[in-house]
Amino acid sequence: MLEEGCFRGRTADFVFMFLFGGIAMTLFGLFANVFFLGQAFIIMLVYVWSRRHPLVRMNFFGLLNFQAPFLPWVLMGFSLLLGNSIVVDLLGISVGHMYYFLEDVFPNQPGGRKLLMTPDLLRAMFDRPQDPDYRPLQEEQQGGDLQQDDEPNN
C-alpha cells in the first residue's frame, strides 16, 4: 500500500527511502549487534505507512482494535509475547521515525526545510518523463468532481 499510495509515480523516492533505511539500519545494527535486518526493514516500512495513514482502523487477530499509528507497537508487543527480542523491532521503528520526521514533519515546521533529497541519478534511473499528451482517467484525477458531458445522449 505504501508503494501504490504515497509513492505512486515516485519510484526514485521509494528507492531512496529503501537506501536510507538500509544504510541507517546497517549502521545502527552494527552497534546493536543485529545482523539480520529483514524484520527491522519491514517494521520501518510499516511505521512509515502507519504514520502517513493515521485514521485507518486496524484489527489484530479480531481481539484488538486500534488506529494505524499503533501498528508497529502492537507488532512489537506481539514479538515480546512470543519471546523474541524487541531490539530488531525498535531498530525498525527508530529508523522509520527518522525517515518520517525528516521527510514529512521537519519540512512542514516553521523554519524547516527538506533535508532528504532524492539524488538526480536515481530520478534519471527510475522516474519516467511525463508524456505531454497523457490525459489521466477521471478516477485518477485528484480533488475534482467528475466532469459531465454538456450534450445529452440521443
Side-chain angles (χ1 to χ4, degrees):
M1 287 178 67
L2 188 64
E3 180 181 7
E4 292 179 358
C6 301
F7 289 101
R8 184 181 190 112
R10 298 175 39 219
T11 307
D13 293 333
F14 194 56
V15 170
F16 184 67
M17 180 184 68
F18 272 54
L19 290 173
F20 174 85
I23 291 169
M25 270 187 262
T26 302
L27 293 175
F28 292 134
L30 290 174
F31 292 114
N33 239 5
V34 177
F35 302 108
F36 300 104
L37 300 170
Q39 182 181 350
F41 193 78
I42 290 171
I43 294 292
M44 180 200 81
L45 295 175
V46 167
Y47 185 88
V48 172
W49 175 85
S50 68
R51 294 303 300 239
R52 288 184 173 180
H53 298 89
L55 301 177
V56 173
R57 302 276 309 149
M58 307 292 297
N59 186 318
F60 192 71
F61 288 124
L63 301 172
L64 187 62
N65 293 316
F66 54 92
Q67 305 249 185
F70 295 107
L71 180 60
W73 303 103
V74 169
L75 293 174
M76 185 181 72
F78 189 66
S79 288
L80 189 62
L81 283 174
L82 292 176
N84 298 330
S85 172
I86 61 169
V87 173
V88 174
D89 293 330
L90 288 173
L91 180 61
I93 288 171
S94 59
V95 171
H97 182 73
M98 286 173 32
Y99 179 83
Y100 173 73
F101 181 80
L102 293 173
E103 183 69 19
D104 295 346
V105 176
F106 186 69
N108 295 321
Q109 299 298 314
R113 60 190 172 95
K114 190 167 172 68
L115 297 176
L116 295 179
M117 301 289 214
T118 304
D120 291 334
L121 175 65
L122 289 179
R123 292 201 187 283
M125 289 172 58
F126 293 104
D127 286 346
R128 288 181 273 150
Q130 293 293 327
D131 182 4
D133 297 326
Y134 175 71
R135 290 184 47 206
L137 297 173
Q138 288 182 348
E139 303 85 56
E140 294 176 355
Q141 294 177 354
Q142 297 177 357
D145 293 330
L146 294 177
Q147 297 175 356
Q148 296 190 8
D149 293 334
D150 292 333
E151 298 178 25
N153 293 335
N154 290 334

